[in-house]
Amino acid sequence: MAIALAAAVLSLLFVASDATAQNRGNAQAEQSQSLRDRRPSAPALPPVGRYVAESGEGFILDRSGRHPLLRFDRRDETWVLRPTAAPRGDVIYRNDAGEQVLRVTPSGGMTVYTSRAPGGSPASFSGAGRSLTPPTLGPMLLFRLMAQRSAMVSQVVGHLVQVDLDGDQSEALCVEALVVTTEAVIRIARSPTARQYVAELRRISIVEGSRAGVTYSRGVLTVTVDPGEGMAGRPSSARVIRAIVPRT
């Protein structure tokens, strides 16, 4: 009888101890959750804003549409960025050639990567910026732009280069591709080491299709845009350059 009573007392003590430990564990869990809830959330980046890097370069970041867009000051090209996860919760934004352009930390810190600062330069918000969505020009302005771009390319290449545009689904996207493509060709023509690759260029053609792409064959540079993908359906200058200049 005494042994049974002692066993019952010990059993009650163990139950009480387990209950106390469980309560203590629950309290600690609730306290940890409370601390997490009180932590400040990461600052939300504005949909459209202008930023300035410590390297001195300024740019507009437009996150109001389907894909993040970025354009550097005094540049004609708008870069379409694609986010990828990185260690420590960071997000890396790359262009369609796979090149790193931006890195954003969970706390909102931003680093921009450029030819001037290939290792990255911290950037900070400096004010509101304008939308980077391309406008629609209309027939007259479009014809004038095509003639202007043809003249610019012909001058640096050294012979006539015809520019044509064939698209009826997204004029704005075709215009973006026209500007980006001709700028890429001009950069190649001004490079002493790459100029030879556009010596046979005779025509630049912008067309619509089911998939964005760039081909260069027998003096014809064809850039295909995919209207269904929006701005992401237009190849960047990096892709245009890679299609013209062989990679060693």
Side-chain angles (χ1 to χ4, degrees), residues 137 139 141-157 159-167 174-186 201-207 219-223:
L137 299 181
L141 290 178
L142 178 58
F143 178 79
R144 185 181 304 174
L145 176 65
M146 291 171 61
Q148 179 190 49
R149 287 286 160 172
S150 175
M152 292 171 62
V153 173
S154 300
Q155 182 178 12
V156 295
V157 172
H159 57 256
L160 178 63
V161 176
Q162 178 184 346
V163 173
D164 57 61
L165 187 154
D166 183 16
C174 289
V175 167
E176 271 284 311
L178 173 64
V179 173
V180 168
T181 301
T182 50
E183 282 295 321
V185 171
I186 290 171
L201 179 65
R202 291 294 183 271
R203 191 172 83 229
I204 297 173
S205 184
I206 310 297
V207 299
V220 179
L221 176 62
T222 303
V223 175

Side-chain angles (χ1 to χ4, degrees), residues 60-78:
I60 292 176
L61 179 62
D62 183 351
R63 300 169 62 252
S64 61
R66 181 177 175 182
H67 299 279
L69 307 175
L70 182 145
R71 179 184 292 176
F72 290 99
D73 292 352
R74 297 181 295 279
R75 296 291 187 274
D76 291 325
E77 180 167 10
T78 297

Side-chain angles (χ1 to χ4, degrees), residues 38-169:
R38 288 200 298 269
R39 288 175 182 171
S41 58
L45 298 175
V48 182
R50 185 176 183 277
Y51 298 80
V52 177
E54 289 185 359
S55 60
E57 295 166 295
F59 60 92
I60 292 176
L61 179 62
D62 183 351
R63 300 169 62 252
S64 61
R66 181 177 175 182
H67 299 279
L69 307 175
L70 182 145
R71 179 184 292 176
F72 290 99
D73 292 352
R74 297 181 295 279
R75 296 291 187 274
D76 291 325
E77 180 167 10
T78 297
W79 294 92
V80 180
L81 305 181
R82 294 163 174 78
T84 57
R88 301 187 301 276
D90 293 0
V91 177
I92 294 176
Y93 292 88
R94 303 179 184 274
N95 60 24
D96 63 344
E99 299 167 339
Q100 182 172 262
V101 179
L102 282 180
R103 188 181 187 114
V104 180
T105 68
S107 62
M110 184 180 295
T111 302
V112 61
Y113 299 84
T114 65
S115 57
R116 185 187 299 180
S121 176
S124 56
F125 178 70
S126 67
R130 63 183 179 86
S131 172
L132 297 180
T133 303
T136 300
L137 299 181
M140 292 297 294
L141 290 178
L142 178 58
F143 178 79
R144 185 181 304 174
L145 176 65
M146 291 171 61
Q148 179 190 49
R149 287 286 160 172
S150 175
M152 292 171 62
V153 173
S154 300
Q155 182 178 12
V156 295
V157 172
H159 57 256
L160 178 63
V161 176
Q162 178 184 346
V163 173
D164 57 61
L165 187 154
D166 183 16
D168 55 10
Q169 297 184 54

